[in-house]
Amino acid sequence: MTKKLAAAAVTFILLAATYGLLFQVFRSIPANMPTASQGLMDLTDWNFAEDGDVTLDGQWEFYPGALLGPEDFQASHGSDDSPAWTRTLLQVPGSWTEHTDTFGVVTYRLQIRVAETDKTYGLKTSSIQMANRIFVNGIEIGASGEAANEPAYQAGNKPYVSYFPLRSGWNEMIVQAANFDFKVSSGIINSIVFGYSEQISSLRDQAFAHDLISICSFLIMGLYFIGLYTQRTSDRSLLVFGLLCICISLFLATRGERLLLVLFDDVPYWLYIRVQTISVFAAGVMLLLYIYTGFRPFSSKRLVYTGIGFGLFLTIWAAGVIDVPYNKTLQHLTTAYATLPFLYATYVFVLAAFHRVEGSLYLVIAAIALNYHSMLQSTNVYSNVPLHSFVPVEVIIFLLMLALLISHRFSNAFKKIEQLSVQLLKADQLKDDFLSRTSHEFKTPLHSVITISQSMLDDKHNPLPVEQQEKLGLVLAVSKRLSQLVLDILDLSKLKQGDLIVQPVPVEVRSTVDLVLRIFSFSTADKNVRLVNHVPEGLPHVYADENRFRQILNNLLDNAIKHTEYGSIEVAAAYKDGNIEVSVQDTGAGIDQQELEHIFEPFRTFDHAGGQNFGLGLSIVKQLLELQNGDISVASVKGEGTVFTFRLPSAEAPVSTKQVNKTEVQPNNEYESDYSFPTPLYVNRAGDHTILIVDDQFSNLKIVMDALAPLEYNIIAVKNGFEAAELINKPNSVDLVVLDLMMPGMSGYEVCQTIRRTYTLLEMPVLMVTTANQTQDKLAAFEAGANDFLPKPFDTMELKARIKGLLLMKDSLGKAINMEVAFLQSQIKPHFLYNVLNAIVSYSYTDISKSRKLTTDLAHYLRGSFQFSNVQKRTSFSKELELIQSYVEIELVRFKNRLRVEYDIAQSMYSAIIPPLLIQPLVENAIRHGLSGRIEGGTVKITASEADGYYCIQIEDDGIGIGQDRLQQLLSDDTEASPGVGLRNIRKRLKYEYHTELRIDSVAGEGTRITVRIPSGSVNS
């Protein structure tokens, strides 16, 4: 008995503190807002920007028994006769029941004056019972239900927001209201909030977020407990508590923003009010059942049974079986039944805590949070305090306590198991750790779910079983769709508010479709679905926003892929009557004819078996097209496929903007100007690097050129991919490519793939620049061979930083090649020196003149080999030739009459500037590897001439030649296949500095000819 009294006292103190805190919160709500007086509200002194929105509370003009429109008030002003309707003043918010019958029709009128008339204003309703229609300055801006006399009357009472302009002076707001269903109250029950459009939108979003958090939290927890019950059927309290959470979630869906009516707009009033009242009584019944099933020793069986019986009676009444009209008494009874079980639950949980029942302390806190939540709901019913004014902290606390309760129970269960056996101790500890980590991972954000799922699927060292891979792939797909849904919701919100800005420009259709199909090819890799581009070449450009045009294609293709298991998806286009008509045809499941007119509605789902869910994608497509003077149509045959066809203005036809708000569409003047220049355009600033800029828009070329001007790079600007492909194959032309992704004819992907067929990532870096910044676009760019990716619009400082980084990366390759040159300098074989020195010593006894000459030749050779420093990039051909001749003279001592060397050097070649150690290693290879293998020796011929803008140098021998297999190894970039440093280094230097290749022609047993070609106009750089 002592513990019961103590529990009751503690419960009273806790509840008093909770409600006291709630009272203090209510007192902290500012009350200095302006109010209406005599039907007028002057807001000229109200600073919306600093003070925020305002509630339209105060005295409104009130006209009972009549639905008056703007024309009625205009007529009364121009007439001498007294109007037939009675004008009184009514305090808003509040019920009209004290002034007229609860059932009937009325009209409210308020005149507003504001200081800023250049702004767009909005209002948000909460509860205008039970149907309403609002006019501002004679224009209907919103309605809920059908405000009319019976039988045309239809209840609605769904909150909504509306946006409208205001004029200078007084602005008339008329609210028509009707009620023939709800006997408790009528009229404007909650304040109408008025402010800037962005303030109203933010308020609407806040209210939606509040309700969604609360509803989803209780719903998820309810489903979780029901799922837990399926695993532990012996504990019925789990099922009861799960049903309790679902009932609370269902009740919350009928309160606040009434999301039930948002999701199901056609729900009639009689069903809506029954769902609301049944959920209240059912929640009370479930809570009492949970107390009895989970804490039976601490609850009163008689009290619980009485409460359950009374709740069942109220539930049957709410279902309509007992015909008792809903009045104020029953409203108070409903409020009491929604509050008292929570109070009793708090007492029982506190009593259980006194008896140290497992997890009871968590339940005490959870019960207090539920009491707080229940009191907020009741306060909203009986006062003008909106639910969304408070952060749903109590919901978070409730869920946290339940999570801790479950964790605590599991922890205790493991402790009991540990006591059974020493062998189970370690296993139980591992399970405990696992559950702890799992609980922590539940709190990770959505992007972490995507990243972790993807990494698990890509783990090649520890692959998952096939079944788990499929399930994890489903989790990843759902997470990505949820991420995309967030973006779609943002776009839809911008479209509804008119904040989405599009910039129409001429867009090449075929290349854009090709890029989009290329990206979606990754999505169909595991499907037997072909993606086909039937857009003809030469089709006129479409006049549309480039990004939004791609978004339209993305949404249509994503929808087609989602509903097509096999077959093909084809994209075609044609010019027709000044428009570009694009069709996306699939061989999927098709759509029923009666459903076609609804598929463009947001989140449209068809409930029949096999019904499809179209989300937001198609709705966004339709609105984006309408925003750009376009439209869309659909044709489908069930079981055969669907064709979506949309039309947009052609860039070659006059573009009408009469149906589009000028603030929404902003044509890009850069594309309308005649600014252009001939391409390729060469800008030579005598810099160390040459950058190729590829973009189909001259203005973009100009922007990049101007940004790079201070860095003194040599610039080559071209306007399409074909010009770029031609330039990169020219020698000594490009160090780095800045490449636009979206180009007509030859796209950036194709240009990048062309580059990578010849040059590696280090030899010619590619910076992809584009307005497409989705993850799929970046992946496709890197797959094509891009080094880096920069989305438009970009900051010029970031552009220059990325270019510098890529050029530094390429310069590191040059430094590595120079280090190989230094290595070549040190590659004088020890046995070569030994043989030469032996020959010098031998001749010193027999022929002193030959000994001296050989010593001089060796000195020239060594001086020529070591005089090139690591930073020296060029030498004259004459010096290289002297080095060759010194080497040949030395080799003649060893080969004697077996070696013959012929020179055919054009006079202009002696002054030519070439890289050091470019020719001598080739002559050395010809003598050592070509002739040394033949007993009779052979001839080496060195030819140098200038022709067609190139210095052409050939080293030809009639030695043993090279077989085809060995020749392929020598020309390979694989260091293991081509172990020789000399040839590989020469090939790298020619390719790095001049974009030319070392040519080797050889026939086994006949000889070898090596050709070096260097552009004569670039060797001095």
Side-chain angles (χ1 to χ4, degrees):
M1 188 65 182
T2 304
K3 288 186 177 181
K4 289 185 179 181
L5 292 176
V10 171
T11 301
F12 177 80
I13 294 172
L14 291 176
L15 294 177
T18 302
Y19 295 152
L21 175 64
L22 184 62
F23 177 73
Q24 290 297 325
V25 170
F26 289 155
R27 290 188 60 184
S28 65
I29 298 177
N32 58 345
M33 284 193 179
T35 58
S37 177
Q38 299 295 320
L40 301 175
M41 194 168 191
D42 191 347
L43 298 176
T44 54
D45 295 330
W46 182 260
N47 191 330
F48 286 93
E50 295 182 1
D51 301 330
D53 51 46
V54 63
T55 56
L56 301 182
D57 296 346
Q59 292 180 335
W60 286 51
E61 295 180 11
F62 181 67
Y63 302 90
L67 292 174
L68 305 178
E71 65 280 357
D72 297 312
F73 290 101
Q74 292 177 0
S76 67
H77 287 311
S79 174
D80 296 333
D81 298 332
S82 299
W85 14 270
T86 304
R87 174 186 180 277
T88 60
L89 294 176
L90 181 67
Q91 186 70 24
V92 171
S95 176
W96 75 51
T97 52
E98 296 180 1
H99 294 72
T100 186
D101 294 336
T102 304
F103 286 171
V105 295
V106 302
T107 301
Y108 294 85
R109 183 170 180 259
L110 177 67
Q111 296 188 65
I112 304 172
R113 185 165 62 182
V114 296
E116 298 175 287
T117 58
D118 57 338
K119 296 283 189 178
T120 299
Y121 290 86
L123 60 79
K124 181 186 183 303
T125 67
S126 293
S127 177
I128 305 179
Q129 297 171 346
M130 289 300 294
N132 65 85
R133 183 164 56 246
I134 300 178
F135 299 86
V136 173
N137 291 333
I139 300 175
E140 180 178 341
I141 63 167
S144 178
E146 185 65 36
N149 284 295
E150 292 184 310
Y153 159 82
Q154 183 178 351
N157 196 21
K158 180 173 69 174
Y160 57 88
V161 297
S162 298
Y163 306 98
F164 47 85
L166 294 180
R167 63 197 178 199
S168 59
W170 292 102
N171 296 265
E172 180 185 58
M173 180 180 297
I174 298 174
V175 179
Q176 297 179 351
N179 179 21
F180 293 96
D181 290 297
F182 196 63
K183 292 187 176 181
V184 177
S185 58
S186 297
I188 304 176
I189 302 302
N190 295 117
S191 298
I192 298 176
V193 184
F194 173 77
Y196 290 157
S197 59
E198 56 269 20
Q199 294 172 337
I200 299 302
S201 298
S202 175
L203 183 65
R204 187 266 316 274
D205 295 340
Q206 177 185 346
F208 265 80
H210 178 280
D211 288 1
L212 279 175
I213 291 173
S214 301
I215 293 170
C216 293
S217 298
F218 282 105
L219 180 61
I220 292 172
M221 189 56 66
L223 295 175
Y224 174 77
F225 271 91
I226 292 175
L228 193 61
Y229 168 74
T230 61
Q231 301 175 16
R232 299 178 58 187
T233 54
S234 59
D235 189 356
R236 295 184 180 179
S237 65
L238 298 175
L239 174 62
V240 175
F241 193 82
L243 294 175
L244 167 64
C245 292
I246 290 178
C247 289
I248 295 175
S249 175
L250 193 60
F251 170 74
L252 295 177
T254 64
R255 297 286 301 154
E257 296 303 301
R258 298 170 179 82
L259 295 185
L260 180 66
L261 296 180
V262 175
L263 295 176
F264 307 100
D265 192 48
D266 296 332
V267 173
Y269 168 77
W270 64 268
L271 178 59
Y272 163 79
I273 195 64
R274 278 168 173 76
V275 169
Q276 186 181 74
T277 52
I278 288 175
S279 61
V280 173
F281 301 138
V285 171
M286 292 302 164
L287 182 57
L288 292 172
L289 278 175
Y290 176 70
I291 294 171
Y292 187 71
T293 55
F295 299 88
R296 186 172 302 179
F298 312 105
S299 59
S300 169
K301 182 177 180 180
R302 180 180 300 176
L303 184 61
V304 169
Y305 275 28
T306 302
I308 292 175
F310 187 58
L312 291 175
F313 170 77
L314 294 176
T315 304
I316 295 173
W317 161 77
V321 177
I322 302 175
D323 188 13
V324 178
Y326 192 87
N327 52 36
K328 256 192 183 317
T329 302
L330 288 177
Q331 184 185 35
H332 297 327
L333 192 62
T334 303
T335 302
Y337 197 79
T339 304
L340 293 177
F342 291 101
L343 299 177
Y344 183 64
T346 306
Y347 163 75
V348 171
F349 296 154
V350 170
L351 182 60
F354 273 103
H355 287 83
R356 301 184 181 277
V357 175
E358 177 187 44
S360 56
L361 183 60
Y362 299 128
L363 286 174
V364 170
I365 302 175
I368 293 174
L370 277 180
N371 271 290
Y372 182 84
H373 189 73
S374 174
M375 183 57 64
L376 282 178
Q377 295 291 335
S378 299
T379 304
N380 176 256
V381 171
Y382 292 99
S383 68
N384 189 34
V385 179
L387 293 174
H388 56 79
S389 299
F390 309 97
V391 178
V393 178
E394 73 281 0
V395 177
I396 299 173
I397 294 175
F398 173 76
L399 297 179
L400 178 62
M401 292 302 106
L402 291 181
L404 292 174
L405 172 65
I406 297 169
S407 176
H408 181 71
R409 287 182 174 179
F410 281 144
S411 177
N412 288 344
F414 283 127
K415 288 180 181 178
K416 292 179 183 179
I417 295 174
E418 289 173 358
Q419 298 172 359
L420 299 176
S421 172
V422 174
Q423 295 179 347
L424 293 177
L425 181 61
K426 293 182 179 179
D428 290 339
Q429 184 63 41
L430 290 174
K431 291 179 181 179
D432 197 14
D433 293 340
F434 171 76
L435 288 175
S436 177
R437 288 193 297 268
T438 304
S439 299
H440 177 72
E441 290 302 320
F442 280 140
K443 302 176 183 178
T444 56
L446 178 62
H447 72 271
S448 296
V449 174
I450 297 174
T451 304
I452 294 171
S453 301
Q454 187 65 60
S455 65
M456 293 177 66
L457 287 174
D458 296 339
D459 190 351
K460 303 300 182 184
H461 299 290
N462 302 292
L464 297 172
V466 176
E467 183 179 357
Q468 292 187 17
Q469 288 184 8
E470 293 176 353
K471 293 180 179 179
L472 193 58
L474 179 60
V475 172
L476 183 61
V478 171
S479 300
K480 288 183 177 179
R481 288 195 174 276
L482 180 59
S483 178
Q484 183 59 44
L485 180 62
V486 173
L487 299 177
D488 287 343
I489 291 174
L490 292 175
D491 282 344
L492 189 64
S493 177
K494 290 181 180 179
L495 285 166
K496 287 183 176 180
Q497 299 174 27
D499 294 337
L500 189 68
I501 298 176
V502 295
Q503 295 183 337
V505 297
V507 179
E508 213 274 334
V509 180
R510 179 176 174 81
S511 62
T512 304
V513 171
D514 189 61
L515 291 176
V516 174
L517 292 180
R518 187 188 300 268
I519 293 172
F520 273 98
S521 63
F522 296 104
S523 304
T524 58
D526 57 346
K527 281 188 172 185
N528 187 21
V529 177
R530 293 182 299 109
L531 303 179
V532 184
N533 184 359
H534 283 320
V535 179
E537 295 184 2
L539 183 73
H541 288 39
V542 65
Y543 190 71
D545 184 286
E546 185 175 0
N547 279 333
R548 299 306 173 183
F549 181 67
R550 288 193 62 203
Q551 184 179 1
I552 292 168
L553 291 172
N554 284 338
N555 287 359
L556 292 177
L557 285 169
D558 180 69
N559 180 74
I561 291 172
K562 183 167 61 176
H563 298 108
T564 303
E565 294 299 326
Y566 59 87
S568 64
I569 299 174
E570 301 177 358
V571 182
Y575 177 84
K576 186 176 181 181
D577 299 331
N579 293 314
I580 301 298
E581 192 173 273
V582 183
S583 63
V584 179
Q585 181 175 2
D586 64 66
T587 57
I591 308 170
D592 289 335
Q593 293 298 316
Q594 62 269 24
E595 298 173 355
L596 288 179
E597 61 182 9
H598 302 294
I599 61 174
F600 294 108
E601 300 175 9
F603 292 114
R604 185 65 183 193
T605 303
F606 302 103
D607 298 329
H608 59 78
Q612 302 176 11
N613 181 3
F614 293 97
L616 288 174
L618 294 180
S619 175
I620 291 176
V621 166
K622 186 174 186 296
Q623 295 186 58
L624 285 176
L625 287 168
E626 292 175 350
L627 190 60
Q628 301 176 80
N629 287 326
D631 57 61
I632 187 171
S633 59
V634 58
S636 182
V637 177
K638 191 68 174 178
E640 296 184 8
T642 305
V643 182
F644 285 92
T645 304
F646 67 87
R647 285 156 291 276
L648 283 168
S650 168
E652 297 183 0
V655 181
S656 172
T657 58
K658 62 182 181 180
Q659 295 179 349
V660 184
N661 192 320
K662 293 182 180 179
T663 63
E664 297 172 342
V665 176
Q666 297 182 354
N668 196 330
N669 294 328
E670 292 178 354
Y671 298 94
E672 295 177 355
S673 66
D674 295 329
Y675 175 72
S676 64
F677 46 80
T679 57
L681 174 66
Y682 294 86
V683 181
N684 190 349
R685 297 190 177 95
D688 295 332
H689 298 94
T690 300
I691 298 177
L692 174 63
I693 307 172
V694 190
D695 200 303
D696 59 327
Q697 299 295 337
F698 289 100
S699 57
N700 292 341
L701 291 174
K702 178 64 174 173
I703 290 171
V704 179
M705 287 191 295
D706 290 344
L708 300 181
L711 302 181
E712 297 184 351
Y713 294 134
N714 302 321
I715 303 295
I716 306 175
V718 297
K719 66 177 180 298
N720 57 54
F722 299 106
E723 292 183 354
E726 182 180 354
L727 274 170
I728 60 176
N729 291 322
K730 290 184 178 181
N732 195 42
S733 58
V734 177
D735 293 305
L736 179 141
V737 181
V738 179
L739 183 61
D740 182 32
L741 180 66
M742 306 282 292
M743 292 187 297
M746 191 176 189
S747 68
Y749 287 120
E750 295 169 311
V751 175
C752 195
Q753 289 172 336
T754 302
I755 294 174
R756 290 295 165 250
R757 294 190 190 104
T758 308
Y759 303 101
T760 65
L761 291 167
L762 292 174
E763 291 169 348
M764 186 177 290
V766 175
L767 173 60
M768 198 77 81
V769 180
T770 178
T771 55
N773 56 3
Q774 297 294 322
T775 302
Q776 307 96 305
D777 302 317
K778 298 178 182 179
L779 291 176
F782 290 128
E783 286 285 339
N787 294 71
D788 204 351
F789 190 97
L790 184 62
K792 295 180 182 177
F794 51 78
D795 184 80
T796 56
M797 296 299 293
E798 182 180 2
L799 172 69
K800 290 186 283 188
R802 289 178 185 258
I803 288 177
K804 286 181 180 179
L806 293 175
L807 289 176
L808 285 174
M809 180 187 68
K810 181 173 181 178
D811 288 343
S812 67
L813 174 64
K815 291 179 181 179
I817 294 174
N818 290 335
M819 292 302 295
E820 286 188 350
V821 175
F823 178 73
L824 285 175
Q825 296 172 13
S826 64
Q827 269 206 318
I828 300 177
K829 303 292 191 297
H831 71 270
F832 170 75
L833 289 175
Y834 179 76
N835 291 335
V836 175
L837 292 174
N838 276 342
I840 292 173
V841 173
S842 176
Y843 280 120
S844 68
Y845 294 104
T846 58
D847 191 340
I848 192 64
S849 60
K850 282 189 175 181
S851 175
R852 290 174 178 175
K853 185 177 185 305
L854 189 57
T855 303
T856 303
D857 291 334
L858 177 61
H860 287 169
Y861 175 70
L862 293 176
R863 183 170 60 252
S865 296
F866 293 115
Q867 73 179 357
F868 307 114
S869 66
N870 286 339
V871 296
Q872 183 176 350
K873 295 184 178 180
R874 299 290 183 266
T875 187
S876 64
F877 181 80
S878 60
K879 288 186 178 181
E880 183 84 0
L881 187 59
E882 290 176 4
L883 179 64
I884 294 171
Q885 291 171 341
S886 298
Y887 172 75
V888 169
E889 291 297 326
I890 295 172
E891 291 289 6
L892 283 172
V893 174
R894 183 161 64 100
F895 280 86
K896 300 186 183 301
N897 295 331
R898 294 173 53 231
L899 174 61
R900 294 172 297 279
V901 180
E902 300 175 357
Y903 299 93
D904 183 9
I905 310 299
Q907 187 63 35
S908 61
M909 288 297 297
Y910 287 96
S911 60
I913 304 300
I914 64 174
L917 290 179
L918 187 68
I919 309 301
Q920 188 273 334
L922 299 178
V923 177
E924 184 176 341
N925 281 335
I927 294 174
R928 290 187 179 181
H929 302 295
L931 301 183
S932 62
R934 297 182 63 185
I935 297 176
E936 66 276 17
T939 302
V940 175
K941 184 177 182 180
I942 303 172
T943 305
S945 61
E946 181 180 3
D948 299 328
Y950 286 89
Y951 292 138
C952 183
I953 305 168
Q954 288 186 344
I955 297 89
E956 185 174 1
D957 68 76
D958 56 359
I960 61 175
I962 307 172
Q964 289 300 314
D965 293 340
R966 178 57 179 165
L967 185 60
Q968 291 297 325
Q969 290 180 355
L970 291 173
L971 295 176
S972 172
D973 292 327
D974 188 355
T975 56
E976 295 182 359
S978 177
V981 178
L983 280 178
R984 188 171 68 249
N985 177 266
I986 293 172
R987 290 183 63 238
K988 283 183 179 179
R989 284 193 286 163
L990 289 174
K991 194 172 183 180
Y992 175 77
E993 297 189 37
Y994 307 116
H995 294 181
T996 61
E997 289 284 350
L998 184 69
R999 180 174 178 179
I1000 304 177
D1001 300 306
S1002 183
V1003 178
E1006 297 183 8
T1008 303
R1009 182 175 65 249
I1010 299 179
T1011 304
V1012 176
R1013 298 174 75 245
I1014 299 176
S1016 59
S1018 303
V1019 292
N1020 293 323
S1021 62

